[in-house]
Amino acid sequence: MVSQSASDEYDESIAPAGNALCCFNGLMKTVLSVFLFIIIAPLFAGAAPPKILPTEDVHDFGRVAAGPVLEHIFSFRNGGGQILIIRKVAST
């Protein structure tokens, strides 16, 4: 027969609580990961790329006498599903 000291004994009453806590932490990490994937994935997966579209295709000034300066503001909108960033704009 083998004798065991008090330090070598295994207390089964402590094990379930410790294992339950460990499993709970693992479960929470899994649930959080799945939740974040469900929330964030559609933002990037199915979104169409940004697309710049004019609000009007043509602007006709009509007949204009020589001399006056004419102005018109051309507007654009983003027809895509992601953020449109416009950089380095120059006139021609």
Side-chain angles (χ1 to χ4, degrees), residues 30 41 45 47:
T30 303

Side-chain angles (χ1 to χ4, degrees), residues 28-83:
M28 287 303 295
K29 288 178 185 177
T30 303
V31 168
L32 181 60
S33 298
V34 170
F35 177 76
L36 289 175
F37 179 78
I38 291 170
I39 297 299
I40 294 174
L43 297 176
F44 297 102
K51 184 176 183 181
I52 189 166
L53 299 172
T55 55
E56 58 182 322
D57 293 330
V58 177
H59 178 77
D60 185 6
F61 284 103
R63 282 189 78 149
V64 179
V69 176
L70 303 176
E71 291 183 18
H72 179 72
I73 297 175
F74 291 93
S75 300
F76 298 90
R77 66 181 180 85
N78 181 6
Q82 296 178 2
I83 296 173

Side-chain angles (χ1 to χ4, degrees), residues 3-9:
S3 66
Q4 293 181 334
S5 67
S7 62
D8 293 334
E9 291 181 15

Side-chain angles (χ1 to χ4, degrees), residues 6-23:
S7 62
D8 293 334
E9 291 181 15
Y10 180 73
D11 187 0
E12 292 182 21
S13 64
I14 297 174
N19 288 341
L21 182 59
C22 178
C23 291

